[in-house]
């Protein structure tokens, strides 16, 4: 695979067609020498090449600097497909549909947090269910669940969670139009019915942070980020409901692909024309799952606010932004001189239209970043940028290298408190298992895909 | 016959080998439960009568049958908080189908580490003996 890679400049590698048979476009990987040196094997690059074989792909099969081996698509992958000739692929969205990040900010001085964090963190841990076997969230009636799936965050506001202002600071106003709750299977609904307001497991978290450094005073002020003050970052997605929507769609598309003459090099890449009946049904179900995910983060944010209010009654937490990093959107982009409607798949990648906030969570115990999108991202990557640090090490390897107790001690030395549903597996998320997020962010800034606004330093974490 | 967990950069994989499809599916379930529940496969608690359940699956091919089987087990864990202890299992490759009779017992609890079984990079071979490699989204 390496012989097909060519360095174009300090932040970009071109993957020439020919890396695998049938590539319709080249691959473009955003990586400097450091990022490129971390690639332990060719699995992720092979996945970039496989995506480039899919029908109707436009421009490049992109990979952001947080790239790592995924399923079908690489994590950190971006692919845009022509809305008329191209496909939509559930594998390009992922199982955790609309997994994403919400950031809350405040004017609470971080030094005041130190006095109460020992009581506040357990209170948060109780208020936000995580990793539970049978959901643990607010049980929803069938009617309410359908309203969440169709209307997103508005349902939560109507039922006393958060404010309308939160919706305005959420991608697409907190509701993807065109969601079709009727296309979400009963099994998916069963899985989601008790999961609203829950974190789940894996790399999902609620993290209390401090605004540590400002890079753009103008953008930081616009977004309400105050140096030295407290912020809260929430990372989670659509839980079992989204996973089931993906699984259901894979089965349907596997059966339909032959009818459309589509063949794929990996079954997880299966897809159908965007405009086909199967494509439109998946689009509707995916949007419904995304509405569930945004509402999930909204309800968790409400629980976080209630806990903070008990400790800081006069200082509210307000929503900075909420954005998904596993989603497909129909968007209009100018490519090769003409406007085109494209189905842009971002799997472990963030929308980065000029001026829109981009939220980049770091690994546990390391910094997170707020960026903004740029015109250059719109021109070169269909308005996309990275989504996080990106793993470099398997979970078993991370556990071998870092025991939970060692990790807790190391984090405590850095002033970071942690509570987790399962301390035994905490080592899976050790910072050493990830790339240096600061470096990842420097690459996307160096490539002009987004600009740094602020760095956030962790203070305390709840892990799923 | 047996199974082992294999590495994946973000998640985990499972390799299973057996001398029959019947054993392969049983071994896959055992490995899957271990990954799901971060430990040993759950055993029926002594003196507890499980609730009987029959699972029936018919799929397009064997790959889908494996994934569907594991997803049935995941669904029971996630939605009903129970694990399935098979007392009889019949797997037919042509056409791909599975009938599993078994008992449901309360899950030992804790987090469920697995989100989904995937088709990405899956290997399913019948010769010389049934062999499976699949990756799980954690």
């Amino acid at each position: 695979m390496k012989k097909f890679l060519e360095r174009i400049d300090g932040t970009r590698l071109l993957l020439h067609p020919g890396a695998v048979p049938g590539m319709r476009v080249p691959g473009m990987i955003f990586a400097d020498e450091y990022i490129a040196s971390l690639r332990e094997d060719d699995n992720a690059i092979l996945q970039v090449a496989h995506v480039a074989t899919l029908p109707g792909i436009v421009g490049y099969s992109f990979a952001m600097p947080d790239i790592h081996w995924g399923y079908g698509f690489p994590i950190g992958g971006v692919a845009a497909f022509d809305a008329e000739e191209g496909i939509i692929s559930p594998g390009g969205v992922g199982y955790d549909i609309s997994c994403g990040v919400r950031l809350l900010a405040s004017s609470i001085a971080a030094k005041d947090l130190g006095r109460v964090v020992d009581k506040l963190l357990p209170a948060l841990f109780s208020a936000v269910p995580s990793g539970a076997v049978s959901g643990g969230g607010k049980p929803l009636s069938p009617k309410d669940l359908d309203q969440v799936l169709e209307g997103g965050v508005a349902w939560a506001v109507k039922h006393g969670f958060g404010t309308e202002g939160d919706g305005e600071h959420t991608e697409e106003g907190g509701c993807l139009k065109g969601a079709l709750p009727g296309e979400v299977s009963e099994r998916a609904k069963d899985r989601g019915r008790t999961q609203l307001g829950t974190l789940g497991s894996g790399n999902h978290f609620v993290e209390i942070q401090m605004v540590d450094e400002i890079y753009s005073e103008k953008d930081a002020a616009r977004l309400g980020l105050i140096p030295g003050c407290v912020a809260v970052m929430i990372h989670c997605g659509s839980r079992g409901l989204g996973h089931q929507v993906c699984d259901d769609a894979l089965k349907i598309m596997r059966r339909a692909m032959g009818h459309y003459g589509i063949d794929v090099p990996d079954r997880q890449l299966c897809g159908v024309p965007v405009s086909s009946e199967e494509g439109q049904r998946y689009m509707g179900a995916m949007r419904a799952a995304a509405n569930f995910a945004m509402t999930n983060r909204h309800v968790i944010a409400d629980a976080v606010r209630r806990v903070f209010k008990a400790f800081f009654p006069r200082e509210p937490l307000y929503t900075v932004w909420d954005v998904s990093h596993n989603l497909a959107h129909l968007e209009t982009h100018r490519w090769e001189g003409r406007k085109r409607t494209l189905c842009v798949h971002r799997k472990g990648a963030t929308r980065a239209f000029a001026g829109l906030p981009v939220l980049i969570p770091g690994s546990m115990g390391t910094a997170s970043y707020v960026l903004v999108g740029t015109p250059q991202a719109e021109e070169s990557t269909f308005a996309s940028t990275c989504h996080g640090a990106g793993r470099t090490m398997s979970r078993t390897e991370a556990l071998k290298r870092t025991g939970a107790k060692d990790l807790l001690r190391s984090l405590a030395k850095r002033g970071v408190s942690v509570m987790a549903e399962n301390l035994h597996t905490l080592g899976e998320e050790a910072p050493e298992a990830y790339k240096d997020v600061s470096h990842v962010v420097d690459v996307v800034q160096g490539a002009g895909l987004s600009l740094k606004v602020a760095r956030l330093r962790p203070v305390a974490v709840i892990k799923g | 016959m047996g199974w082992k967990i294999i590495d994946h950069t973000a998640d985990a994989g499972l390799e299973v080998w057996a001398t029959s499809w019947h054993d392969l599916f049983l071994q896959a379930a055992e490995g899957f439960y271990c990954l799901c529940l971060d430990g040993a496969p759950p055993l029926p608690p002594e003196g507890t009568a499980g609730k009987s359940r029959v699972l029936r699956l018919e799929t397009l091919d064997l790959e889908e049958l494996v994934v569907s089987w594991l997803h049935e087990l995941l669904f029971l864990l996630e939605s009903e908080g129970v694990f399935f202890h098979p007392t009889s299992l019949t797997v037919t490759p042509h056409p791909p189908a599975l009938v599993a009779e078994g008992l449901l017992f309360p899950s030992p609890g804790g987090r469920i580490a697995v989100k989904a079984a995937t088709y990405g990079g899956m290997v399913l071979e019948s010769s010389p003996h049934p062999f499976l490699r699949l990756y799980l989204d954690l």
Side-chain angles (χ1 to χ4, degrees):
Chain A
M1 196 61 63
K2 279 177 186 161
K3 70 177 180 180
F4 293 98
L5 280 172
E6 179 192 354
R7 180 158 290 287
I8 299 172
D9 57 27
T11 58
R12 293 184 301 166
L13 291 162
L14 188 72
L15 181 65
H16 287 281
V20 299
M23 283 176 72
R24 297 165 194 258
V25 295
M28 174 79 76
I29 299 148
F30 289 87
D32 63 2
E33 291 296 347
Y34 161 78
I35 298 289
S37 74
L38 293 176
R39 279 195 301 106
E40 295 158 287
D41 53 53
D42 280 343
N43 284 320
I45 304 300
L46 180 63
Q47 291 181 326
V48 173
H50 281 165
V51 171
T53 69
L54 298 177
I57 188 167
V58 174
Y60 297 90
S61 167
F62 288 108
M64 295 297 144
D66 45 346
I67 178 176
H68 64 77
W69 185 19
Y71 311 111
F73 276 64
I75 309 301
V78 177
F81 298 89
D82 187 277
E84 290 174 7
E85 297 167 7
I87 63 164
I88 184 165
S89 168
V93 173
Y95 281 95
D96 197 357
I97 295 168
S98 186
C99 182
V101 183
R102 176 173 289 223
L103 182 66
L104 309 173
S106 77
S107 56
I108 301 167
K111 59 181 170 49
D112 293 336
L113 184 72
R115 292 185 285 107
V116 299
V117 74
D118 288 348
K119 290 178 182 168
L120 191 145
L121 190 61
L124 269 184
F125 192 68
S126 299
V128 182
S130 61
V133 167
S134 305
K138 177 182 168 54
L140 294 172
S141 68
K143 186 180 165 193
D144 279 338
L145 180 54
D146 276 355
Q147 287 177 359
V148 170
L149 295 173
E150 186 160 15
V153 162
W155 175 91
V157 173
K158 188 178 164 190
H159 287 77
F161 300 96
T163 67
E164 282 182 18
D166 296 323
E168 291 165 13
H169 290 89
T170 302
E171 186 179 19
E172 301 287 336
C175 174
L176 297 193
K177 301 287 185 291
L180 299 172
E183 295 299 335
V184 176
S185 69
E186 282 309 310
R187 171 160 286 200
K189 289 177 181 176
D190 279 346
R191 292 179 72 175
R193 208 175 303 286
T194 59
Q195 293 185 327
L196 193 70
T198 66
L199 264 186
S201 60
N203 60 354
H204 295 160
F205 63 78
V206 174
E207 185 167 276
I208 304 172
Q209 306 170 329
M210 181 188 96
V211 180
D212 187 37
E213 186 163 359
I214 299 291
Y215 303 98
S216 165
E217 288 186 10
K218 185 180 163 194
D219 284 319
R222 175 170 68 91
L223 299 175
L225 297 167
I226 307 168
C229 287
V230 169
V232 179
M233 187 173 272
I234 298 161
H235 177 215
C236 63
S238 50
R239 309 283 280 110
L241 184 143
H243 307 152
Q244 189 66 44
V245 167
C246 179
D247 187 46
D248 293 340
L250 288 171
K251 280 184 191 160
I252 292 167
M253 291 193 186
R254 170 73 176 162
R255 285 159 175 74
M257 277 200 316
H259 173 70
Y260 297 108
I262 295 170
D263 193 19
V264 293
D266 182 317
R267 186 168 173 162
Q268 197 73 23
L269 292 170
C270 72
V272 293
V274 180
S275 55
S276 67
E277 184 195 334
E278 296 88 351
Q280 289 300 300
R281 289 173 64 188
Y282 170 66
M283 185 73 95
M286 178 205 69
R287 287 169 172 160
N291 288 342
F292 185 86
M294 289 188 284
T295 310
N296 189 31
R297 292 191 288 275
H298 182 96
V299 172
I300 290 173
D302 184 73
V304 169
R305 276 184 175 138
R306 289 174 196 270
V307 170
F308 266 79
K309 195 173 181 182
F311 293 88
F312 301 99
R314 292 183 182 176
E315 293 173 283
L317 295 168
Y318 50 89
T319 305
V320 175
W321 190 236
D322 182 300
V323 67
S324 306
H325 46 231
N326 281 1
L327 210 51
H329 285 287
L330 280 178
E331 296 170 357
T332 303
H333 290 274
R334 184 169 285 281
W335 191 260
E336 293 177 339
R338 67 185 177 102
K339 272 190 176 178
R340 299 175 71 167
T341 303
L342 303 173
C343 185
V344 183
H345 294 58
R346 299 182 182 90
K347 185 178 181 186
T350 314
R351 243 180 174 184
F353 283 98
L356 275 190
V358 171
L359 306 175
I360 307 296
S363 51
M364 190 165 53
T366 66
S368 296
Y369 285 85
V370 179
L371 317 175
V372 286
T374 62
Q376 192 167 332
E378 293 181 8
E379 290 162 16
S380 59
T381 58
F382 306 112
S384 307
T385 189
C386 63
H387 87 305
R391 288 191 79 97
T392 60
M393 193 186 293
S394 73
R395 289 167 190 267
T396 44
E397 182 65 24
L399 276 173
K400 270 185 223 162
R401 293 194 190 187
T402 313
K405 284 181 183 172
D406 292 340
L407 180 61
L408 285 171
R409 266 196 296 272
S410 158
L411 291 169
K413 272 187 190 171
R414 283 185 260 172
V416 183
S417 308
V418 182
M419 287 190 76
E421 174 71 20
N422 186 336
L423 280 174
H424 171 68
T425 55
L426 199 63
E428 288 178 355
E429 296 296 320
E432 293 74 20
Y434 286 82
K435 298 181 182 81
D436 176 352
V437 68
S438 301
H439 204 99
V440 169
V441 165
D442 283 345
V443 170
V444 293
Q445 176 156 289
L449 303 183
S450 34
L451 297 172
K452 289 195 276 191
V453 175
R455 186 177 67 194
L456 311 169
R457 183 163 66 77
V459 176
V461 192
I462 290 173
K463 290 290 297 178
Chain B
M1 81 186 164
W3 58 269
K4 68 174 182 181
I5 295 169
I6 56 172
D7 270 359
H8 181 283
T9 312
D11 301 283
L14 198 58
E15 276 188 359
V16 188
W17 57 96
T19 52
S20 66
W21 290 117
H22 168 272
D23 289 348
L24 187 98
F25 275 69
L26 283 180
Q27 289 293 310
E30 185 176 302
F32 182 73
Y33 272 131
C34 279
L35 270 167
C36 265
L37 299 169
D38 290 329
L43 294 171
E46 279 183 33
T48 306
K51 192 177 164 188
S52 64
R53 182 73 60 93
V54 179
L55 305 177
R56 293 176 198 277
L57 299 169
E58 289 177 11
T59 58
L60 189 67
D61 50 33
L62 268 176
E63 285 85 352
E64 190 176 299
L65 192 64
V66 171
V67 168
S68 298
W69 165 235
L70 300 180
H71 282 172
E72 284 297 319
L73 305 180
L74 180 62
F75 179 72
L76 290 170
L77 269 181
E78 202 175 271
S79 296
E80 299 184 32
V82 295
F83 73 90
F84 181 77
H85 179 71
T87 51
S88 98
L89 176 71
T90 307
V91 179
T92 48
H94 306 293
L98 173 155
V99 179
E101 293 177 19
L103 299 169
L104 300 177
F105 295 98
S107 159
R111 75 168 190 168
I112 301 171
V114 175
K115 292 173 184 165
T118 81
Y119 296 98
M122 181 193 270
V123 176
L124 187 62
E125 293 167 350
S126 58
S127 178
H129 299 294
F131 171 81
L132 167 69
R133 181 186 301 136
L134 92 167
Y135 293 97
L136 301 152
D137 188 13
L138 301 189

